[in-house]
Amino acid sequence: MKIRVINDRQGKKKKGEKVLDLIFEDRTNGLSSKDKEMLHELLGFAADYLKLTGEIDLSLTIVNDAEIHEINKTYRNIDRPTDVISFAIEDLGEDELAVMGLPEDMPRELGDLFISIDKTREQAADYGHSFERELGFLAVHGFLHLNGYDHLNEADEKEMFGLQKEILDAYGLKRA
């Protein structure tokens, strides 16, 4: 899958092009160019692994613990920082209705991912693997949430975590 990184939200798409538009922002300035490149490649790889087709849009924002804490508190009513938060566009709330009749050539909007760079570093140390592996894990975890996967019960958790491991292993980010 072709990946087009849009940092200025002005990207242009060709009709029918198979592409993942990633709107990326590192608000911490804490990622290396290698880390950013890995995230872009990994998310494109994950999209291909899931056999997603057509034009797909998502945003990924790297934040610190203070910012993800505020997001978690505001939108999830949980008063602590977390590692990754996903806001899936296709998840319908209780009183929301699906939008029908949209043109077929419109991009599929997956949603927004927020990853805490502080939690990424902390968890990499706690689990004894690289920062890159933890960052990749969190990106794939959030990406799967945006695609309807969850871990609210044991069966769903087994499916989602198994798929996460498959994607990360196939990409080459195996757990140490």
Side-chain angles (χ1 to χ4, degrees):
M1 175 168 283
K2 181 179 176 187
I3 304 167
R4 183 178 21 246
V5 179
I6 302 173
N7 292 317
D8 61 4
R9 298 182 180 260
Q10 299 297 318
K12 302 285 185 224
K13 298 174 213 161
K14 296 176 186 170
K15 187 174 180 178
E17 182 179 22
K18 182 179 175 186
V19 66
L20 171 69
D21 277 343
L22 177 63
I23 300 165
F24 181 81
E25 182 179 6
D26 178 7
R27 292 184 184 165
T28 69
N29 294 316
L31 292 184
S32 69
S33 57
K34 181 181 172 193
D35 293 330
K36 293 174 189 177
E37 184 178 327
M38 180 275 296
L39 285 170
H40 302 153
E41 289 175 359
L42 177 58
L43 291 171
F45 182 87
D48 282 340
Y49 199 91
L50 295 179
K51 296 179 177 39
L52 302 182
T53 59
E55 299 175 34
I56 301 162
D57 294 348
L58 75 110
S59 75
L60 170 59
T61 307
I62 305 300
V63 297
N64 61 27
D65 269 358
E67 187 168 355
I68 208 160
H69 182 170
E70 188 59 36
I71 293 166
N72 210 17
K73 185 177 179 182
T74 301
Y75 294 100
R76 298 179 65 221
N77 209 25
I78 299 173
D79 192 12
R80 66 175 184 273
T82 189
D83 51 6
V84 60
I85 294 178
S86 59
F87 295 99
I89 298 293
E90 295 177 350
D91 280 352
L92 296 177
E94 279 183 34
D95 298 327
E96 295 177 324
L97 299 173
V99 177
M100 306 300 281
L102 293 174
E104 289 183 24
D105 62 348
M106 282 191 66
R108 178 178 173 206
E109 298 278 346
L110 290 183
D112 306 308
L113 292 178
F114 294 86
I115 295 176
S116 166
I117 196 169
D118 300 322
K119 286 287 183 213
T120 304
R121 287 187 180 115
E122 179 185 316
Q123 290 174 182
D126 289 349
Y127 296 124
H129 53 241
S130 70
F131 174 82
E132 178 185 44
R133 199 303 180 164
E134 186 65 19
L135 184 62
F137 171 85
L138 295 173
V140 169
H141 185 87
F143 185 76
L144 289 176
H145 276 303
L146 294 181
N147 281 282
Y149 292 88
D150 218 326
H151 45 88
L152 297 175
N153 62 53
E154 193 174 321
D156 289 348
E157 180 177 311
K158 185 176 180 180
E159 177 186 19
M160 182 176 177
F161 285 30
L163 187 54
Q164 266 173 196
K165 184 179 181 329
E166 285 176 29
I167 292 169
L168 291 165
D169 287 355
Y171 182 77
L173 282 178
K174 297 184 180 187
R175 193 166 185 180

